[in-house]
Amino acid sequence: AEAKAKAVEKAVEKPAPPAKPDDLKRVEGIGPKISGILQGAGITTFAQLADTDEDRINKILEEADPKLLRLAHPASWPQQARLAAAGKWDDLEKLQKTLKRGRKT
């Protein structure tokens, strides 16, 4: 019983390993610069991007470089990221065909 308790205690002490970063550039409208900015703000996975609302993304971009908001349109990024996080690559591709720089065309 004591050995089992120590094993449980040891398992509880170890923090979960950080999630492996996703390639955020797979989201239409995100290039290397914006990917780096989002990662710097702690958004490193599709799931995290999916859970981030457009206003927060706009604020992150504006703080990094206000000029980015003239080029980037993050309204569709959480939706795209949800599909990517779920592994729905065909659905993501269909959606991306309707977008230009992250905006519906």
Side-chain angles (χ1 to χ4, degrees), residues 38 43 47-60 74-79 82:
L38 293 174
I43 301 170
Q48 290 171 321
L49 182 57
D51 289 339
T52 306
D53 66 38
E54 182 184 355
D55 290 338
R56 172 84 176 114
I57 297 168
N58 279 326
K59 186 175 179 186
I60 291 167
S76 69
W77 296 357
Q79 179 186 8
R82 265 189 293 286

Side-chain angles (χ1 to χ4, degrees), residues 2 7 14 18-20 23 25 30-32 37-39 47 52-53 58-59 65 69 74-75 83 87 97-100:
E2 189 177 317
K14 283 189 174 181
K20 183 180 177 223
D23 182 4
K25 297 183 303 292
I30 296 180
I37 290 167
L38 293 174
Q39 289 177 8
T52 306
D53 66 38
N58 279 326
K59 186 175 179 186
D65 183 352
L69 293 176
L83 293 171
K97 287 180 181 178
T98 69
L99 302 172
K100 184 170 185 165

Side-chain angles (χ1 to χ4, degrees), residues 8-50:
V8 168
E9 190 176 301
K10 201 175 206 178
V12 171
E13 285 176 14
K14 283 189 174 181
K20 183 180 177 223
D22 290 318
D23 182 4
L24 300 179
K25 297 183 303 292
R26 293 191 72 178
V27 171
E28 213 305 305
I30 296 180
K33 182 173 185 173
I34 290 174
S35 177
I37 290 167
L38 293 174
Q39 289 177 8
I43 301 170
T44 61
T45 66
F46 294 129
Q48 290 171 321
L49 182 57

